[in-house]
Amino acid sequence: MNAIISASELASELTGANPPVLLDVRWQLSTSLAAGEPPFDGRAAYRAGHLPGAVFVDLDEELASGPGARGRHPLPDLAVFGAAMRRAGVSAATPVVVYDGGMGWGAARAWWLLRWTGHPDVRVLDGGLPSWEGPLETSVPRPDEGDFVPVPAEAGLLDADGAAALARSGVLLDARAGERYRGEVEPIDRVGGHIPGAVSAPTTENVGPDGRFLPAGELSARFRSLGASEGSPVGVYCGSGVSGAHEVLALAVAGIPAALYVGSWSEWSSDPERPVAVGPDPQ
């Protein structure tokens, strides 16, 4: 099954016999609070216009727990997450398509969570809302309650110790911008740098200027050049487990399964006992 879907494919499926449930997960990483500016309001953007029938899902409240020792976007309480999915009409036998404002990070977080907790048919709208050429609506739908019950998989999730081990035994990709990986700047977390042994792989290099993923062959070649290929253990982390989910999605498009360290750098760097590497060298 493909992990992504084009806007034209989605338009066709929405008129078919088994149309997908649509989830709107518009979210942006905001550093504006430090400057006294209001954060991005995904719910307001949703109310201004969304795909017909789409239900808004709040990343901070429904796809993550509150920030703390486990990072800025730790795993959500599964009861809260499951209730949010059922409220949106998600059932185990119904396909799901997730989209956001175009960056793909928020949609990928929802995609990863649904896949990790057992949903068999979840895709991300490639290019997000900007790729959609059909009509939008402003009314808020009230879908029938779904029946999806999240059951976490044993694989696919890394903790801090697991990420450290994978950096030594396999391939651990750092999805943040290169300057944060190298420790040249750190706008959010306690200290800059990266997990020793991790390889810099900015998620922004997985997409073209239009926000759509590069072709699968190009993604596969990119990841192979970084040491990641099918059959080798691969993990990903980022700042707080959001853009990292987008990299896991890119790896899935390339046919390479990967685990996600959800706590990511926001958890790792908060522990002064954890080692920190700086500069372009993984070690």
Side-chain angles (χ1 to χ4, degrees), residues 86 115 121 136 157 170 212 216 230 254:
R86 291 189 293 274
R115 294 291 294 153
D121 189 352
L136 301 178
L157 177 68
R212 291 180 173 87
E230 188 175 4

Side-chain angles (χ1 to χ4, degrees), residues 30-39 187-188:
S30 178
T31 57
S32 61
L33 291 177
E37 301 172 8
I188 306 173

Side-chain angles (χ1 to χ4, degrees), residues 6 13 17 24 36 58 61 74 89 111 118 133 138-139 160 190 201 216 226 276:
S6 69
E13 290 194 14
D24 184 311
D58 191 305
E61 295 182 4
W111 168 84
E133 297 181 354
T138 57
S139 60
R190 183 183 67 86
L226 297 171
V276 171

Side-chain angles (χ1 to χ4, degrees), residues 7 23 33 81 87 94 97-98 110 114 143 217 266 275:
L23 304 181
L33 291 177
F81 171 63
R87 171 187 60 82
T94 305
V97 171
V98 193
L114 280 164
S266 58

Side-chain angles (χ1 to χ4, degrees), residues 229-257:
S229 60
E230 188 175 4
S232 63
V234 179
V236 180
Y237 75 96
C238 58
S240 65
V242 179
S243 67
H246 189 268
E247 185 118 300
V248 173
L249 176 58
L251 284 154
V253 172
I256 303 170

Side-chain angles (χ1 to χ4, degrees), residues 48-162:
H50 53 267
L51 267 62
V55 175
F56 180 76
V57 176
D58 191 305
L59 187 150
D60 290 313
E61 295 182 4
E62 296 170 324
L63 304 182
S65 298
R70 295 184 299 132
R72 276 191 308 283
H73 292 102
L75 288 173
D77 180 285
L78 289 182
V80 172
F81 171 63
M85 294 299 98
R86 291 189 293 274
R87 171 187 60 82
V90 174
S91 290
T94 305
V96 178
V97 171
V98 193
Y99 72 91
D100 57 24
M103 184 176 289
W105 293 3
R109 172 75 175 218
W111 168 84
W112 181 84
L113 276 168
L114 280 164
R115 294 291 294 153
W116 178 64
T117 56
H119 199 287
D121 189 352
V122 190
R123 290 163 292 171
V124 169
L125 176 59
D126 195 18
L129 186 62
S131 71
W132 178 254
E133 297 181 354
L136 301 178
E137 69 178 20
T138 57
S139 60
V140 178
R142 294 288 184 267
D144 293 337
E145 184 88 357
D147 64 15
F148 177 69
V149 177
V151 179
E154 294 184 5
L157 177 68
L158 295 171
D159 60 11
D161 289 340

